[in-house]
């Protein structure tokens, strides 16, 4: 019998079944949703249009109930409800800082929690979202780095953080919200918990939904992905996501960067800069953001500032100086204010914008690098933290 077993199979005989149990629509890419609709029995020629209609309901109007999708037939809505769910992370707490910053704790499947931070400013509202529960990396100054990686977030959990914040801001169009430029939630930064380039596919799929005109509909120029320097994935991010890039630079010699950002031992400063120079579409209006956390007596000298501008020569760049945000047990101290200003001045005089990032939401531990879900058990010991930092 095996002699005659077919080596090719007629596509019509390939079972097209949905997995057991309802599928979460949130986070499915357009092709994936189309395929799932076809598997449910939607005629191929209709699937594309139906997917677009469903996307608009979910991502533009904030609808969470198939019954409310009134441009679909009643029978179709019922069928959708049998096969799919519309699920986003659950907001378990919300803290509002004196400066208006909001910090949310979002619960995802398995009972894990990630933090999401909304930062209102005069000309924009930025949502800082997480890509992993914990992080595999152990940057010495980062609170998240003290928490072991628990798991990657799914695409639905990543885009779902945006939807959760829009619920809280009451920003869905049918509730009378203004148009794009004046959106409350106008910008996304992937600067929460985790290393986004170590969860590439899910981050890419979620950002594609965020950028799609029938999705969340934010311009790729309003989305910034921050990486600690996962060099092989940088080109891929440029090609497959196309958003703005920020890099956690933090040091100007390999010796210091090896200690602060241990991934530097794998891909050093030179290799990283090479990947950054090749990032697509770099120009004066699309610059790479170099994040530089100011640590007293570690990386904050005038010589560091001069080395920094020399290293990045020729790269359209902006240097974001981040005063170190303290957290309990942190092995570093924040540089003095006049030190930060002197550093900023050297960088500025070399021709680079060098904003000093005003710490936001400090009173609620919502500032950069302070994020960490206290409920997680997998905690690195203080000894491990100090050892990683070689302090
Ligand atoms: N894992 C990614 C993105 C998340 S961190 C990355 O490392 O780029 C977002 C930014 O906050 C990074 O530049 C990070 O280095 C910085 N950061 C981390 N801990 C900090 C702290 N305690 N104070 C100030 N900035 C910090
Ligand atoms: Fe991970 Fe980024 Fe924190 Fe480093 S700075 S430990 S890469 S989250």
């Amino acid at each position: 019998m095996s002699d005659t077993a077919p080596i090719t199979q007629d596509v019509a005989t390939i079972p097209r079944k949905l997995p057991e149990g309802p599928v979460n629509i949130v986070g499915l890419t357009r092709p994936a949703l189309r395929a799932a609709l076809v598997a449910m029995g939607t005629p191929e020629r209709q699937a594309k249009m139906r997917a677009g209609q469903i996307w608009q309901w979910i991502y533009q109007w904030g609808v969470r109930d198939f019954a409310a999708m009134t441009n679909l037939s009643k029978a179709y809505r019922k069928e959708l409800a049998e096969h799919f769910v519309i699920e986003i992370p659950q907001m378990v707490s919300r803290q509002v800082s004196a400066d208006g910053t909001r910090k949310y704790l979002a619960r995802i499947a398995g009972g894990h929690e990630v933090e999401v931070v909304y930062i209102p400013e005069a000309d924009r509202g930025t949502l800082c979202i997480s890509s992993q529960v914990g992080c595999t990396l152990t940057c010495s100054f980062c609170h998240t780095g003290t928490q072991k990686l628990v798991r990657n977030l799914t695409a639905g959990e990543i885009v779902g953080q945006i939807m959760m914040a829009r619920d809280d801001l009451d920003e869905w169009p049918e509730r009378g919200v203004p148009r794009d430029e004046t959106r409350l939630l106008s910008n996304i930064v992937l600067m929460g918990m985790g290393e986004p380039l170590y969860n590439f596919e899910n981050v890419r799929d979620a950002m594609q939904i965020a950028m799609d005109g029938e999705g969340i509909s934010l311009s790729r120029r309003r989305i910034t992905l921050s990486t600690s320097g996962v060099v092989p994935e940088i080109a891929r991010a440029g090609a497959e996501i196309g958003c703005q890039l920020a890099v956690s630079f933090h040091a100007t010699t390999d010796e210091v960067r090896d200690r602060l950002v241990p991934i530097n031992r794998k891909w050093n400063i030179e290799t990283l800069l090479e990947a950054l120079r090749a990032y697509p579409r770099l120009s004066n209006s699309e610059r790479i953001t170099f994040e530089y956390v100011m640590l007293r007596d570690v990386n904050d000298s005038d010589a560091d500032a001069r080395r920094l501008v020399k290293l990045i020569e020729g790269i359209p760049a902006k240097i974001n100086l981040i005063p170190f945000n303290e957290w309990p047990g942190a092995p570093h101290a924040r540089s003095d204010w006049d030190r930060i200003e002197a550093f900023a001045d050297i960088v500025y005089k070399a021709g680079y914008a060098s904003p000093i990032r005003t710490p936001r939401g400090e009173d609620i531990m919502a500032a950069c690098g302070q994020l960490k879900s206290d409920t997680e058990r997998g905690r690195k010991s203080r000894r491990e933290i100090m050892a990683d930092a070689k302090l």
Side-chain angles (χ1 to χ4, degrees), residues 226-276:
S226 174
T227 180
S228 58
V230 186
V231 165
E233 303 291 335
I234 288 178
R236 207 171 154 211
E240 297 181 33
I241 309 175
C243 60
Q244 309 304 297
L245 190 67
V247 61
S248 294
F249 209 64
H250 306 320
T252 60
T253 63
D254 281 322
E255 191 259 321
V256 176
R257 197 164 189 271
D258 279 353
R259 277 191 290 137
L260 300 183
V261 189
I263 201 175
N264 194 70
R265 297 176 202 158
K266 199 160 185 183
W267 296 292
N268 66 12
I269 292 182
E270 194 190 329
T271 324
L272 174 60
L273 287 170
E274 214 172 287
L276 298 178

Side-chain angles (χ1 to χ4, degrees), residues 26 58-59 64 88 159-167 172:
V26 180
I58 294 178
Y59 298 118
R64 303 281 151 77
I88 65 164
V159 73
Q161 294 170 57
I162 308 173
M163 298 161 74
M164 186 193 80
R166 290 187 80 190
D167 283 352
W172 295 106

